Amino acid sequence: MTAAITLDTASRLGGLVCGVTSPGRPALTELGGQHGPFVRERVVEHGAALLSGYQWADWDDLDAFVKHIVGAPLDYTERSSPRTELHPGVFTATDHPPTEEIFLHTEQSYNLTVPRYLFFFCERDAPEGGASLLADCRAIHDALPREIVQRFDEEGYLLVRNFLPGLGLTWQQAFGTEDPDQVRRYCADNGIEVEWLAEDHVQTRQMRWAVATHPETGVKTWFNHMTFFHSSSLKKDLAELLLEEYGPWGIPTNTFHADGSEISQDIVEALHAGYRGHQLDVHCRTGDVLIVDNLSVAHGRAPFVPPRKLFVSMADALSWARLRPVERTALPGGGPAGHTG
């Protein structure tokens, strides 16, 4: 008979993270089996939970734990960063160079169906750096200037992506297919305009919302990729080079007002300040598991010195139709915001 697991919980980082530990280093799968609903409730309540001191050894352990908490892991579709799938539903957190910071963002908020929960499994922490960056998107929503929030809440924003050889992901990598017709069908089903500007140059344009309402708590949250995908989030020298070469509509990713006009510098600075002003560092140690409510908390990564091994699973698919009030479930500019599942 499996021994009952005792939980010790503590509020951390101003209440954004719930720390969870247990005496005796029990198995992670046993924790999920005995206390799955409790752990999930703490994630919703705080925004994130950091589990420390639990044993896990292989992919089956991670898969079983995720299923105990929220259900089967999801695939990674309409990709925006390089990742390696290590096991069905388990990916490297990112293959982005370790010397580069990954700016705060909410996972796949530019998709019509988004992952509700993120599970970060730390197999090996970095000898230096590599903190997980977190920021409370509910607090960001409340702290941003009201005129900025109101405009983007009402209008949404425009995301333009260019898939070019040698610059970021190819369209084949992003959409997981070599077939242009499959890309066209996916885009048609997901409110995306797609255009082949050359044989290997594909441009997509999609209108997306910037503000969501949490389906459980009813709290509004700043839930978008508008700042992450904006040219201002690139290193200054790189941004200047790309903009000079390709223009604002031709670089790999950029965001605009819903009418296609460029976002002014003062708004860009306010958005960056909103994220940076709420940024907190979480240091995941070897064996730790960080669970994030993707609707409530943005995540990123500080630069680090290798080696570092961090895996991610995404779970509980949620349609944008669930994230807006009933009368506002259409995409900005018209069109359905996804299935209502």
Side-chain angles (χ1 to χ4, degrees), residues 22-211:
S22 296
R25 291 184 54 80
L28 185 66
T29 52
E30 293 297 332
L31 169 69
Q34 293 185 29
H35 298 290
F38 177 84
V39 172
R40 194 194 74 82
E41 289 167 5
R42 299 291 76 72
V43 174
V44 173
E45 176 187 355
H46 292 261
L50 182 64
L51 283 52
S52 302
Y54 298 95
Q55 297 184 58
W56 50 276
D58 54 30
W59 306 127
D60 289 340
D61 288 348
L62 307 187
D63 188 64
F65 177 70
V66 173
K67 288 178 178 176
H68 280 310
I69 304 298
V70 294
L74 303 175
D75 196 5
Y76 181 35
T77 59
E78 199 181 326
R79 301 183 176 200
S80 64
S81 66
R83 279 184 177 145
T84 302
E85 186 166 19
L86 304 170
H87 179 78
V90 182
F91 303 84
T92 53
T94 181
D95 294 336
H96 201 62
T99 55
E100 302 294 329
E101 179 193 48
I102 298 177
F103 188 77
L104 289 157
H105 61 286
T106 43
E107 192 68 31
Q108 294 186 276
S109 54
Y110 57 91
N111 285 2
L112 291 191
T113 301
V114 304
R116 171 70 188 280
Y117 299 100
L118 310 176
F119 293 76
F120 295 98
F121 301 97
C122 184
E123 184 179 74
R124 181 175 183 177
D125 60 288
E128 182 179 338
S132 295
L133 312 178
L134 299 183
D136 191 331
C137 294
R138 301 158 295 189
I140 294 172
H141 172 274
D142 293 344
L144 286 171
R146 288 302 86 196
E147 62 274 15
I148 293 177
V149 172
Q150 183 175 354
R151 178 171 185 179
F152 287 110
D153 188 12
E154 293 176 352
E155 298 178 1
Y157 70 101
L158 173 65
L159 165 61
V160 178
R161 301 181 70 183
N162 288 276
F163 303 96
L164 292 157
L167 284 179
L169 299 181
T170 65
W171 63 266
Q172 294 92 336
Q173 292 171 321
F175 292 98
T177 180
E178 301 280 339
D179 184 354
D181 287 336
Q182 286 191 27
V183 175
R184 293 186 180 97
R185 285 193 293 271
Y186 177 88
C187 290
D189 291 340
N190 288 273
I192 302 172
E193 296 180 6
V194 60
E195 184 176 0
W196 258 257
L197 301 179
E199 183 178 355
D200 288 325
H201 180 184
V202 176
Q203 183 180 91
T204 60
R205 302 173 293 275
Q206 56 208 82
M207 300 289 292
R208 291 298 185 256
W209 293 115
V211 176

